[in-house]
Amino acid sequence: MLEFDCSLRQGHFSLEVAFSAPSPGVTALFGRSGAGKSTVVSLLSGLLAAARGRIVLEGTVLFDSAAGVNVPAEHRAVGCVFQDARLFPHLDVRHNLEYGLRRVRGRQAPIRFDAVVDLLGLAALLARRIRELSGGERQRVALGRALLAQPRLLLLDEPLASLDAERRDEVLPYLERLREQLGIPIVYVSHDFDEVLRLAEHLVLLDRGRIVASGPLREMCLSEELHAIVGASVIGSVLEGIADRIDAAERLATIRCDELSLRVALAQIEPGSRVRLYVPADDVLIALEPPRHVSARNILSVEITRLEILNGSVLVHLAVAGTTLLARITHSAVRELDLKAGKRCFALVKAVAAQGRRFDRRAVGP
Amino acid sequence: MFTPDEWQALRISLEVAARSVALSLPFAIAVAWLLARRPFFGRTLLDAAFHLPLVLPPVVVGYFLLLIFGSRGPIGAWLSEHFGLRLVFTTSGAALATAVMSFPLVVRAIRLSMENIDPGLEAAARTLGARGWDRFFSITLPLSLPGILAGGIVAFSASLGEFGAVITFVSNIPGETRTLSLALYTAIQTPDGDVAAVRIAALSVSLGLAGLLLSEWLARFARRRLGP
């Protein structure tokens, strides 16, 4: 568990942020640029000291302005991966990886060199010079270097922001594996909501140095504060469930989320795996009667709980079997169907629209 | 082809230059680091003080050295009393004079190199557990290598050519302080010394060429190691 409560003033910018992050788990700091995300990371790593506040990691006080405690960065065991990788250009990949490992002094080193090389696919790169690496490879080496320093907290400060889409897709699976296997809290800073959807379990929403909202990602996806920050096209609901039945021939999986069963186009998955589903609000249709002869694989009986006015459109919150789906529709549709809170209707969700990904946590290590 | 005296002048030149580099580099690295990385009160003043030898006539620098490091100067007397080290009229003194003269150039080369190091790399090293000196020796120093090499080469070549400060501080003693420059000066002053002067000048030119080639090779080596 990480507890953070700090305030700071830098010129015209003031920061006042308090949140806690579970461990293990990925907590995303999300917000526009200039929201103060990187400042929070600097405070956590010890590269910057807050004017007032307290940071406690697994019961150890890292910073406490009242008690005059400020553990220096080199003693915090807080691993950092920066947007620009910051690999040491005069060392090859192997020596970059070993840099932190050699300085572990006195603490245990349960994260082994070979395991990290294996996890991040670095075996072929070990003898390379840094300038010979691609952007994606650099970030993987930076990740490995941070892990081998045996961190008690891992900070990922926009690790994918400087990469093009192709390189991002090359690194993301490694981050997902990391999330599954690492037993320490991870703080993930991003302004890309897609990355947050793939990795985060908790979301802290920052704007102009303040926390606007925070909580489990599932709940946060329904919050108006988030909808005000992200583009309307990425608004959607997140469901978590278990893969129930897999029809490999039809490439359809049935995912059970509490009482709700959804059929989604998802083939490569074993029954029983935990799955996170993301259902974009733009891909949910509303009908007053159950339609017949329709291609959508899911027709759900739902109840409207809320109409949220967005800029130019309406976000309809639909309660179904203990969870909430979002549908973004026009004002004219709302008028024509006479939609209002409390009304029962049907939600149509295409199997190919719901994006499913395995979301397991296999090992809960030290 | 060359007389024993001329060979001796060459040897003294090289020895003075080498000792001068060895003497100035550690101090220059420390000063460059202070100026590049540590904002402190009086930094501008210190910066200006170290640049003085660049703007003062070398004879003035030599005279000051004589006042401070001479047998009766405050530091000179202390050195000779505690270490039996005499600087006036010795090769060591010549090395000190050339080191002082080239110091600003050396500091400047190293400082530029240090200022070019991304402070983010040092911050990254901190988060990986590297403390102060460890961080300096494992990151800052190796990354300043191009500047240190350049500074060393500048110091070496400046030492070969230094005249005014050397002759003022340690005089022109054959076998002790008579470097190539001083030997050339002596030859010019001597009647019928023309041929000797040409030979010494030729020696200086070849030495300079060799130095340039070496520095080019070192720079290439540093580039290869550090690359963009």
Side-chain angles (χ1 to χ4, degrees):
Chain A
M1 171 97 148
L2 165 72
E3 291 153 83
F4 180 96
D5 179 359
C6 284
S7 60
L8 170 81
R9 202 159 188 47
Q10 281 179 326
H12 291 295
F13 177 75
S14 85
L15 181 99
E16 213 164 293
V17 166
F19 67 93
S20 61
S23 77
V26 178
T27 301
L29 294 182
F30 183 75
R32 300 189 186 96
S33 53
K37 307 184 294 281
S38 291
T39 308
V40 172
V41 167
S42 297
L43 292 170
L44 280 169
S45 65
L47 295 173
L48 189 68
R52 183 209 63 76
R54 199 172 140 82
I55 303 171
V56 182
L57 175 62
E58 317 290 9
T60 310
V61 177
L62 296 182
F63 180 81
D64 189 338
S65 57
V69 177
N70 183 13
V71 178
E74 47 269 47
H75 294 295
R76 283 197 184 186
V78 171
C80 292
V81 176
F82 305 94
Q83 181 180 337
D84 50 352
R86 299 193 188 173
L87 298 177
F88 303 130
H90 59 300
L91 303 176
D92 62 13
V93 169
R94 174 185 291 276
H95 286 94
N96 265 281
L97 288 172
E98 286 175 349
Y99 190 89
L101 185 61
R102 285 170 194 272
R103 289 166 172 79
V104 167
R105 292 180 296 258
R107 286 183 293 126
Q108 286 194 323
I111 304 177
R112 323 278 338 162
F113 186 83
D114 294 338
V116 167
V117 167
D118 202 39
L119 175 79
L120 297 169
L122 299 174
L125 306 178
L126 289 177
R128 295 253 204 108
R129 295 225 144 257
I130 299 311
R131 65 163 186 275
E132 298 162 0
L133 301 179
S134 74
E137 289 167 339
R138 278 171 205 229
Q139 287 303 0
R140 273 153 59 200
V141 174
L143 261 174
R145 184 179 68 172
L147 287 176
L148 283 168
Q150 316 295 328
R152 294 184 297 163
L153 165 69
L154 187 61
L155 304 175
L156 307 178
D157 190 359
E158 306 244 16
L160 305 178
S162 62
L163 305 181
D164 56 43
E166 208 172 310
R167 299 266 167 263
R168 262 185 24 162
D169 289 342
E170 167 201 318
V171 180
L172 263 168
Y174 291 106
L175 290 175
E176 289 177 319
R177 281 168 77 177
L178 212 65
R179 176 186 56 71
E180 281 178 11
Q181 300 188 6
L182 209 59
I184 57 171
I186 298 177
V187 172
Y188 190 93
V189 172
S190 182
H191 65 265
D192 183 309
F193 197 63
D194 195 44
E195 291 168 17
V196 172
L197 280 174
R198 279 180 72 161
L199 296 167
E201 286 146 313
H202 293 261
L203 186 62
V204 175
L205 205 56
L206 278 173
D207 193 30
R208 274 169 259 161
R210 300 286 185 281
I211 290 191
V212 186
S214 72
L217 182 71
R218 258 177 76 173
E219 293 168 22
M220 290 294 293
C221 278
L222 306 174
S223 82
E224 270 181 61
E225 290 85 359
L226 179 73
H227 300 158
I229 287 184
V230 298
S233 60
V234 300
I235 295 175
S237 47
V238 165
L239 311 175
E240 269 148 26
I242 310 264
D244 202 16
R245 264 197 327 276
I246 319 287
D247 187 338
E250 297 279 354
R251 298 188 158 273
L252 267 185
T254 305
I255 311 293
R256 217 159 28 77
C257 314
D258 299 324
E259 312 284 292
L260 174 71
S261 279
L262 274 180
R263 295 213 284 165
V264 297
L266 190 65
Q268 289 133 325
I269 198 154
E270 305 93 58
S273 328
R274 291 198 59 81
V275 172
R276 167 180 281 182
L277 287 179
Y278 167 66
V279 184
D282 286 1
D283 290 328
V284 177
L285 296 173
I286 294 177
L288 292 180
E289 289 160 18
R292 295 161 55 211
H293 315 303
V294 67
S295 68
R297 297 294 86 191
N298 301 285
I299 300 171
L300 310 164
S301 171
V302 298
E303 183 184 335
I304 297 174
T305 53
R306 194 150 80 89
L307 295 177
E308 181 185 335
I309 309 296
L310 289 179
N311 226 350
S313 56
V314 179
L315 202 58
V316 186
H317 293 239
L318 307 162
V320 50
T323 51
T324 302
L325 287 175
L326 296 174
R328 190 164 79 100
I329 58 176
T330 57
H331 286 283
S332 102
V334 171
R335 269 197 311 276
E336 211 159 291
L337 300 183
D338 188 29
L339 300 178
K340 50 183 172 262
K343 186 162 179 151
R344 294 209 64 90
C345 55
F346 295 88
L348 279 60
V349 181
K350 296 169 69 173
V352 292
Q355 297 159 24
R357 273 207 185 82
R358 213 190 65 229
F359 204 84
D360 273 330
R361 178 175 294 288
R362 274 183 286 190
V364 179
Chain B
M1 182 177 173
F2 296 109
T3 66
D5 282 357
E6 286 156 13
W7 283 118
Q8 194 179 50
L10 174 66
R11 186 186 58 74
I12 289 173
S13 275
L14 291 174
E15 191 182 332
V16 166
R19 282 211 224 173
S20 162
V21 170
L23 182 66
S24 70
L25 271 187
F27 290 104
I29 290 170
V31 170
W33 184 77
L34 278 176
L35 293 175
R37 280 289 188 259
R38 292 274 143 159
F40 59 92
F41 182 75
R43 179 158 86 165
T44 320
L45 194 69
L46 184 75
D47 197 9
F50 283 118
H51 274 94
L52 266 184
L54 215 53
V55 293
L56 287 178
V59 181
V60 174
V61 175
Y63 177 63
F64 278 138
L65 286 174
L66 210 50
L67 289 182
I68 300 167
F69 292 97
S71 326
R72 268 168 293 164
I75 301 182
W78 184 80
L79 281 176
S80 98
E81 189 180 324
H82 289 87
F83 300 96
L85 181 64
R86 213 167 61 98
L87 291 173
V88 184
F89 308 135
T90 65
T91 319
S92 305
L96 174 67
T98 58
V100 169
M101 286 305 294
S102 62
F103 197 69
L105 298 171
V106 186
V107 169
R108 182 161 282 241
I110 300 175
R111 178 184 175 177
L112 276 178
S113 201
M114 279 185 180
E115 282 172 344
N116 273 329
I117 300 175
D118 174 7
L121 291 177
E122 283 152 343
R126 282 191 72 187
T127 67
L128 292 165
R131 303 178 209 183
W133 285 110
D134 177 12
R135 198 162 63 239
F136 178 77
F137 282 111
S138 64
I139 305 295
T140 316
L141 199 60
L143 288 177
S144 332
L145 196 64
I148 295 171
L149 284 179
I153 288 161
V154 164
F156 196 86
S157 7
S159 301
L160 289 179
E162 184 50 41
F163 181 83
V166 173
I167 204 168
T168 315
F169 183 40
V170 295
S171 184
N172 183 1
I173 301 164
E176 190 67 45
T177 66
R178 182 173 291 171
T179 60
L180 281 179
S181 311
L182 298 192
L184 180 57
Y185 171 74
T186 311
I188 296 168
Q189 299 288 309
T190 317
D192 307 326
D194 297 352
V195 182
V198 169
R199 280 203 307 265
I200 296 171
L203 204 53
S204 297
V205 168
S206 10
L207 196 59
L209 266 179
L212 281 174
L213 288 176
L214 181 71
S215 77
E216 184 58 32
W217 180 79
L218 280 176
R220 226 180 271 172
F221 165 78
R223 262 202 305 277
R224 245 204 331 272
R225 260 186 73 82
L226 296 174

